[in-house]
Amino acid sequence: MKRTLFLFAALCAVCVGRSQTPVYLDLTAPVEERVEDALARLTLEEKVALCHAQSKFSIKGVPRLGIPELWMSDGPHGVRAEINWDDWGYAGWMNDSCTAFPALTCLAATWNPEMSAIYGKAVGEEARFRKKDVLLGPGVNICRTPMNGRNFEYMGEDPVLASKLVVPYVRQAQTNGIAVCVKHYALNNQETRRMNVDVEVSDRALREIYLPAFRAAMVDGGAWSIMGAYNKYRGQYCCHNKVLLQDILKGDWAFDGAVITDWSGCHSTDEAAANGLDIEMGTGSDGLTYSLTNAYENYYLAQPYLAALREGRAEMKELDDKARRVLRLIFRTVMSPDRPWGSFGTEEHAAVGRRVAQEGIVLLKNDGILPLRRESAGRILVVGDNATRSMCRGGGSSELKPWREVSPLQAVEEYYGKENVSYVLGYEAGAPHYGRVVEPGSDAEQLRREAVEAARNADVVLFFGGLNKNHRQDCEDGDRDTYSLPFGQEELLAALRKANPNIIVTLISGNAVQTDWDVDARAVVQGWYLGSEAGHALVDVLSGEVCPSGKLPVSFYARLDDCSAHAFGEVSYPGVDDRVEYKDDILVGYRWLAARKIRAKYPFGYGLSYTSFAFGKPAADAKVYSEDDTVRVGIEVTNTGAVEGKEVVQLYVGKPKSAVKRAPRELKAFVKESFAPGETRRVELSFPIADLAYWNEATGSWCIEKGTYTVYVGNSSEAAAAVKIEVK
């Protein structure tokens, strides 16, 4: 028997003095049939109501037809605590404490699509249980500069890495009957003047660097919604930008989902109506026109849009397209008959977060002091504000209310024994607070003296430093002030080294930092923001219970001026007169370093292990290829150490004597595999010849240049083993 939804339209009509035939909607019918059926029943006013918010995080639906509200929630690292209906205050619920998953920079550092899949599945289950229909994430903007306060929400500096990881996240999250909303489309690569800055970038850089991960999420991942960015592109706001939304997203990529603004990202009724925006959220309104309680009717796609339609200034076909897309989003999510129930704040989800964190932690330096075994650790001194600070709070819209957050200090005490561990603050960064800089309240010199004195009596010092989620560090709506470590950490490390040379530094951040101070440390670990199980995951790696296998998804520049965004002065970052010109063009991150022969302090793709790996000579299965072929390259990899470990085998391609500007090498494929001690195995990597294409601005199309290419294989962007191939 078919499952049907009976809509009590007749009863409702009687209540208002009208009669109407009851409406039946077959939930087993294809989504497109249901969309067209519902669209035909909507009034003009009901169609417009689908296009704008009714609260901070919901749209109205169509009550008359039994089409429910659509609820959204901030993500992508977890489901945000409940927000009030009409303001940004928290509702104070007692049952909205979520699992905090690692930040997306950590997910990118796993270089493992399997981790992305289990991450997406778990965060989708949490959103579903909380009765959310749209999860606002993941973010895939390119990390163009380490100064961007929001890089921790993104998947690194390379479009191939971000593309390969976003697809399984999207697919698995949406199996829960919730839509992801991939953000921030596009070119939102800085927080400085983000609401006004106008980005000038070549078509080639746009297509080759800044759009591929969005395209992968839409085309390969099948994302059901996408969020526009705050900034402008070529003079037009991204949330109603004709080129980005109509020409590329809905034209070239045939996207059939809904475009949602970032909150307050809409600025024009006419442009929003004509250029592809579907749902307007968060627009500021003083309520003066219709009253405070009806402020949502003041939105650009509310009463002003209705007036434009009635007056013929906006076209009905554009409204119908928007309504179709919103209905499709509703039928795919809240009105899907096959939605699972989800789960929330479980030990299983905590285990997923811990596993992702373990694989994303990157070992940057180690002179043999790590792993720090329990039986030989001796007296441990833990130093640093970040050893006890909550890293789920702050940071802007991605802040979370976790049901558990294990600090590094707590985990160190649990594993090594509280009696063997002492703690001093060392430096203070102030309380987490979004929207302003919080100054330290303690005497910095006194804290330093206490730490140095304590270090003299310890066998090893575990220093937990880096950044935090205060404003103008890793935080929304403000870029960083300095590339160096803040709060006197570098001076503290130098002083600690004089008292005790056995220093292990764990950086907790979502960004690269300057690391000249690493001479004062025997080991350096990049720990990211790791969520609920942060402390446990860090100790798993520090102790050797887990062999580190993370690789950097961003370049750690020796100097900030080595970064492409900073090589051309203010016009290229952060911009002049609200205009920023991407003069680095396609040479972003490691591409720029390779082109300019600049060595990174720690290169993209780099990460050490507690074992070691040897690479043989790569061999291509053929030497000559046509445009439709797939290149397959094999290489023997040997675990030459004494413990089992995972290695990321990375494949880069360059074209000597190219007729067009190119980076000397670009990532095209990677594989992460585990090897037993002494094991040798052939690892296979592949990529289609089509991935060698460049965007031809003259023809507005992808072109493959014929000739000789060099394929590099290794375990970082500085891979040396090479093989030549020919494209005919």
Side-chain angles (χ1 to χ4, degrees):
M1 179 178 174
K2 287 187 176 180
R3 289 179 293 175
T4 59
L5 175 65
F6 180 76
L7 307 178
F8 293 95
L11 179 59
C12 296
V14 169
C15 294
V16 296
R18 294 186 294 123
S19 63
Q20 185 170 331
T21 303
V23 177
Y24 295 87
L25 293 181
D26 181 6
L27 295 186
T28 64
V31 167
E32 293 308 307
E33 288 185 16
R34 296 168 61 198
V35 167
E36 294 305 318
D37 177 65
L39 183 66
R41 302 174 189 274
L42 298 185
T43 66
L44 176 65
E45 293 77 10
E46 288 167 341
K47 291 177 184 178
V48 170
L50 290 174
C51 298
H52 64 86
Q54 66 162 354
S55 73
K56 284 296 182 188
F57 281 91
S58 70
I59 65 172
K60 188 176 182 180
V62 188
R64 179 180 66 86
L65 297 179
I67 297 175
E69 302 165 331
L70 188 82
W71 280 88
M72 309 175 192
S73 176
D74 275 319
H77 311 133
V79 185
R80 194 178 185 182
E82 203 65 23
I83 301 293
N84 289 332
W85 182 273
D86 271 326
D87 62 52
W88 288 106
Y90 284 107
W93 285 15
M94 301 299 289
N95 61 347
D96 58 350
S97 297
C98 70
T99 302
F101 296 91
L104 291 187
T105 42
C106 175
L107 178 60
T110 70
W111 286 64
N112 190 343
E114 179 188 353
M115 293 299 102
S116 188
I118 65 171
Y119 187 125
K121 184 73 161 57
V123 75
E125 288 172 346
E126 298 237 338
R128 173 66 189 100
F129 187 89
R130 278 277 304 280
K131 298 186 168 110
K132 304 305 179 185
D133 308 306
V134 180
L135 182 68
L136 303 176
V140 292
N141 293 100
I142 293 297
C143 298
R144 179 175 178 253
T145 165
M147 304 305 283
N148 182 8
R150 217 164 178 182
N151 277 348
F152 70 96
E153 294 187 49
Y154 303 141
M155 295 188 183
E157 70 184 36
D158 182 81
V160 171
L161 178 63
S163 296
K164 297 295 185 185
L165 292 177
V166 72
V167 170
Y169 181 115
V170 170
R171 288 177 177 172
Q172 289 300 311
Q174 291 187 165
T175 62
N176 294 283
I178 63 101
V180 299
C181 185
V182 183
K183 62 186 187 183
H184 304 90
Y185 183 71
L187 300 165
N188 186 181
N189 307 115
Q190 63 186 66
E191 292 297 286
T192 300
R193 300 292 294 164
R194 64 176 180 165
M195 303 294 289
N196 304 94
V197 68
D198 188 3
V199 177
E200 290 291 330
V201 62
S202 72
D203 286 347
R204 187 174 172 202
L206 179 72
R207 295 280 188 162
E208 293 185 21
I209 303 295
Y210 298 103
L211 293 190
F214 287 104
R215 183 188 184 280
M218 301 300 111
V219 176
D220 302 324
W224 294 337
S225 64
I226 189 170
M227 180 186 290
Y230 282 132
N231 51 281
K232 297 176 183 177
Y233 165 60
R234 294 184 179 174
Q236 196 169 58
Y237 283 103
C238 290
C239 284
H240 33 78
N241 186 289
K242 181 181 182 299
V243 173
L244 293 177
L245 301 184
Q246 295 287 56
D247 298 346
I248 298 175
L249 178 67
K250 295 181 176 180
D252 294 352
W253 302 347
F255 174 64
D256 69 355
V259 176
I260 304 173
T261 64
D262 204 340
W263 272 232
S264 297
C266 186
H267 300 270
S268 165
T269 296
D270 292 344
E271 288 190 5
N275 292 348
L277 177 63
D278 300 311
I279 300 176
E280 178 187 3
M281 300 296 296
T283 302
S285 173
D286 59 13
L288 295 178
T289 306
Y290 301 104
S291 85
L292 184 62
T293 56
N294 289 323
Y296 299 100
E297 293 302 318
N298 291 325
Y299 278 26
Y300 293 101
L301 286 183
Q303 290 297 323
Y305 187 28
L306 190 60
L309 288 160
R310 286 171 172 163
E311 295 166 8
R313 293 183 289 108
E315 297 186 23
M316 285 299 303
K317 67 177 182 179
E318 294 165 348
L319 174 62
D320 284 345
D321 181 69
K322 298 178 194 301
R324 278 192 184 91
R325 292 172 180 274
V326 179
L327 288 169
R328 190 177 292 125
L329 183 60
I330 291 172
F331 290 152
R332 284 170 165 169
T333 57
V334 65
M335 290 191 73
S336 169
D338 301 318
R339 288 180 108 189
W341 290 105
S343 55
F344 188 71
T346 65
E347 290 291 349
E348 291 78 10
H349 288 169
V352 168
R354 185 170 181 170
R355 186 179 170 193
V356 172
Q358 290 168 346
E359 285 215 15
I361 293 168
V362 183
L363 180 60
L364 297 178
K365 176 183 177 180
N366 185 25
D367 71 356
I369 192 172
L370 290 177
L372 187 65
R373 302 294 185 187
R374 179 189 280 138
E375 59 273 14
S376 58
R379 295 165 299 174
I380 298 174
L381 174 66
V382 175
V383 179
D385 184 282
N386 280 0
T388 57
R389 169 178 293 271
S390 170
M391 291 299 180
C392 296
R393 299 168 56 193
S397 61
S398 66
E399 76 170 2
L400 298 171
K401 176 185 173 183
W403 63 277
R404 177 172 75 209
E405 183 178 3
V406 179
S407 72
L409 177 61
Q410 177 186 340
V412 170
E413 290 177 340
E414 288 177 3
Y415 186 85
Y416 293 100
K418 197 168 186 178
E419 68 278 7
N420 300 316
V421 179
S422 57
Y423 172 66
V424 293
L425 188 59
Y427 73 93
E428 185 182 40
H433 188 87
Y434 173 52
R436 65 184 178 89
V437 176
V438 180
E439 299 295 340
S442 300
D443 186 318
E445 185 58 38
Q446 178 63 26
L447 292 177
R448 187 179 305 160
R449 285 197 299 267
E450 292 173 356
V452 170
E453 184 62 32
R456 293 193 177 99
N457 300 315
D459 294 306
V460 64
V461 176
L462 297 183
F463 183 92
F464 292 91
L467 308 178
N468 59 45
K469 291 186 178 178
N470 276 351
H471 188 53
R472 304 200 73 80
Q473 292 197 56
D474 284 325
C475 186
E476 182 180 356
D477 200 23
D479 286 344
R480 295 165 61 189
D481 289 320
T482 176
Y483 187 48
S484 303
L485 290 180
F487 311 119
Q489 293 177 69
E490 296 179 6
E491 295 82 358
L492 174 58
L493 281 168
L496 286 171
R497 185 192 183 193
K498 294 177 181 178
N500 190 326
N502 296 323
I503 298 174
I504 299 168
V505 174
T506 297
L507 290 172
I508 298 176
S509 74
N511 256 316
V513 299
Q514 188 162 314
T515 54
D516 290 346
W517 47 263
D518 64 0
V519 297
D520 296 319
R522 292 187 60 189
V524 180
V525 173
Q526 176 59 38
W528 316 110
Y529 300 118
L530 300 180
S532 291
E533 292 295 300
H536 285 154
L538 286 168
V539 171
D540 290 339
V541 170
L542 293 172
S543 67
E545 296 290 344
V546 171
C547 184
S549 64
K551 302 286 184 178
L552 290 178
V554 293
S555 300
F556 271 53
Y557 303 99
R559 302 177 306 116
L560 185 60
D561 287 346
D562 291 343
C563 171
S564 66
H566 299 265
F568 299 94
E570 290 187 2
V571 68
S572 191
Y573 173 84
V576 175
D577 296 329
D578 284 339
R579 179 178 174 273
V580 59
E581 185 177 352
Y582 285 15
K583 286 182 172 290
D584 45 352
D585 199 50
I586 62 169
L587 300 178
V588 178
Y590 71 89
R591 290 170 166 82
W592 172 264
L593 297 178
R596 294 297 184 271
K597 294 182 171 56
I598 302 171
R599 293 297 299 269
K601 183 61 179 288
Y602 297 110
F604 174 84
Y606 170 87
L608 300 175
S609 172
Y610 293 152
T611 189
S612 54
F613 296 93
F615 286 72
K617 182 175 177 56
D621 64 351
K623 293 296 184 181
V624 181
Y625 297 87
S626 62
E627 293 186 2
D628 297 329
D629 289 341
T630 295
V631 178
R632 292 179 173 83
V633 176
I635 188 169
E636 283 195 348
V637 179
T638 301
N639 181 345
T640 57
V643 299
E644 182 175 355
K646 293 181 178 180
E647 181 61 294
V648 180
V649 184
Q650 304 164 38
L651 184 154
Y652 297 81
V653 178
K655 189 176 191 315
K657 299 179 181 178
S658 174
V660 297
K661 178 171 65 177
R662 290 182 183 269
R665 56 185 66 191
E666 298 177 326
L667 182 69
K668 295 300 177 184
F670 59 89
V671 175
K672 189 171 193 176
E673 294 190 6
S674 182
F675 295 82
E679 180 182 6
T680 297
R681 190 166 67 252
R682 183 178 175 85
V683 175
E684 301 287 342
L685 304 101
S686 64
F687 65 93
I689 286 292
D691 285 357
L692 298 178
Y694 69 92
W695 183 258
N696 188 320
E697 295 184 338
T699 63
S701 62
W702 293 99
C703 294
I704 299 174
E705 187 180 5
K706 305 296 192 293
T708 301
Y709 290 79
T710 305
V711 177
Y712 304 91
V713 183
N715 57 3
S716 83
S717 56
E718 297 181 350
V723 62
K724 301 286 187 182
I725 63 170
E726 189 82 14
V727 179
K728 63 180 181 179

